[in-house]
Amino acid sequence: ETDWAAGVVQRENTENDELYIRDIERICERDGIDTIFPSYDPQVYLLTKNRERLARLGVSVLAPDYETVRVLLDKSRQLELAASVNFPHPATFRLDEHDLMDLAGRFEPPWVVRPTASARSHGMAVISRIEDLEPKVRELSESHRDLIFQEYIPGNLKQNFYMLIGRDHEVLSMISPQVLRTSHRVYRNSSAAVLFGHGHEYSERVKELVRALNWHGGLTVQTKIDARDGSLKLMEINPRLGSHTWYATEMGIDVPLMQVRSYRDESVKPIEDYPDEALMLEPFEDFIGLF
């Protein structure tokens, strides 16, 4: 994770990558593991670029090939892809291609600076004062090779789309609960209470976006509701089954098993029927959010 978080994303293993994969190989051989669900971005990165090596041990990595994954591991490339299908997103610029002060002059503060490779908001900074901007970018540059500058989208509410994509890139499962309340204890903005319904006005646009990814497997499309006009803006796409997979399983949709079967070329029927108006809480997170 250290190399990945610093922006060292490459096809060949670094020394740290090699140590990690050797440990994975030993664990798989020792415990008879034949299937791996990568559930965190650096794991997706490391395991997909070594998937053929693991396959020789009889271990399947349930994620697409490295070249497909590589695009989604770069936040700026994700949003370039969104732009290609006209999906709304915050204005985003790579700092190695633009002048920082020029960018700051285009948008009212606050501004967002973050690494191109990040997860769980690690390395993200929201900067409100112009005198703090350059020092913060220098600080982040010491630990992250590639940074992006983003327009800040105001508001606290978000809308996520939890999806499972089949081998032929069809949508096998898609749930989009309405976020009622959020928590900021563990991650910057985590759902604490959600309400399920059927469909969302952006569902077809999200499906169009996902088709452009050439993806196979679990996926979370994260959007934020822009407080200025109520529109949805794409914040990022997580290339994996995420921590809220339990939403689907609690609704009777066995997403992990469906993904295994899809990767084994077994028949998997799309799931469209699930309980409506179901309220789900993360009790502790929701409770402390009241204070």
Side-chain angles (χ1 to χ4, degrees):
E1 179 180 349
T2 301
D3 292 340
W4 173 83
V8 183
V9 178
Q10 60 186 43
R11 188 64 181 85
E12 300 76 21
N13 284 344
T14 66
E15 183 177 346
N16 288 329
D17 296 345
E18 185 63 27
L19 291 173
Y20 176 86
I21 292 300
R22 288 178 183 175
D23 280 344
I24 292 295
E25 290 174 329
R26 282 193 289 268
I27 292 169
C28 290
E29 289 181 323
R30 183 192 66 200
D31 297 337
I33 294 172
D34 63 9
T35 304
I36 299 177
F37 283 88
S39 58
Y40 185 33
D41 293 37
Q43 295 170 354
V44 175
Y45 162 64
L46 289 168
L47 292 167
T48 54
K49 71 176 184 174
N50 288 280
R51 62 180 300 155
E52 294 180 4
R53 175 171 164 179
L54 290 166
R56 290 194 288 271
L57 297 178
V59 179
S60 297
V61 176
L62 301 191
D65 61 90
Y66 171 72
E67 291 304 319
T68 300
V69 167
R70 186 169 62 90
V71 175
L72 288 189
L73 291 175
D74 184 323
K75 306 303 183 188
S76 67
R77 304 308 179 207
Q78 287 185 14
L79 297 180
E80 286 177 3
L81 190 146
S84 73
V85 294
N86 296 315
F87 198 99
H89 60 283
T92 303
F93 307 88
R94 294 179 70 95
L95 283 180
D96 60 354
E97 298 173 358
H98 295 85
D99 178 76
L100 177 62
M101 289 298 105
D102 175 64
L103 292 175
R106 302 186 198 182
F107 304 95
E108 293 293 324
W111 307 283
V112 178
V113 178
R114 62 188 302 190
T116 57
S118 66
R120 299 173 181 169
S121 300
H122 291 171
M124 178 187 294
V126 179
I127 305 159
S128 299
R129 303 192 312 164
I130 190 69
E131 58 266 33
D132 296 333
L133 188 56
E134 286 188 323
K136 190 62 181 180
V137 168
R138 283 197 300 270
E139 177 188 334
L140 290 173
S141 297
E142 292 176 359
S143 56
H144 302 283
R145 185 168 66 179
D146 297 314
L147 299 174
I148 56 177
F149 177 100
Q150 289 187 301
E151 167 196 15
Y152 178 78
I153 304 299
N156 295 318
L157 289 180
K158 61 181 183 176
Q159 177 65 59
N160 290 346
F161 299 82
Y162 305 96
M163 309 178 70
L164 179 64
I165 311 302
R167 182 170 293 280
D168 294 326
H169 314 305
E170 74 277 24
V171 176
L172 298 178
S173 171
M174 178 177 181
I175 58 176
S176 49
Q178 176 189 357
V179 178
L180 303 178
R181 293 181 294 276
T182 59
S183 167
H184 301 267
R185 184 179 73 89
V186 180
Y187 306 136
R188 187 176 295 272
N189 188 356
S190 179
S191 302
V194 300
L195 180 66
F196 281 82
H198 279 86
H200 187 279
E201 61 179 327
Y202 270 64
S203 293
E204 291 306 314
R205 298 191 70 177
V206 171
K207 290 178 182 179
E208 181 184 6
L209 170 64
V210 169
R211 281 193 289 270
L213 304 178
N214 198 35
W215 192 257
H216 180 204
L219 200 66
T220 301
V221 177
Q222 296 186 341
T223 72
K224 187 174 182 179
I225 300 175
D226 192 329
R228 295 169 293 191
D229 59 9
S231 64
L232 267 59
K233 299 293 195 308
L234 177 67
M235 304 310 291
E236 64 182 49
I237 303 171
N238 294 332
R240 52 186 164 80
L241 290 178
S243 60
H244 287 96
T245 298
W246 68 273
Y247 284 167
T249 56
E250 284 298 307
M251 301 295 283
I253 306 172
D254 195 341
V255 172
L257 180 59
M258 291 171 67
Q259 181 164 331
V260 170
R261 288 176 172 170
S262 178
Y263 264 82
R264 291 177 178 174
D265 285 331
E266 298 177 13
S267 177
V268 182
K269 294 182 179 180
I271 302 293
E272 298 179 353
D273 185 27
Y274 53 83
D276 207 353
E277 298 298 319
L279 176 66
M280 289 194 184
L281 306 176
E282 298 190 27
F284 181 73
E285 303 298 338
D286 199 30
F287 176 73
I288 64 174
L290 298 176
F291 297 93

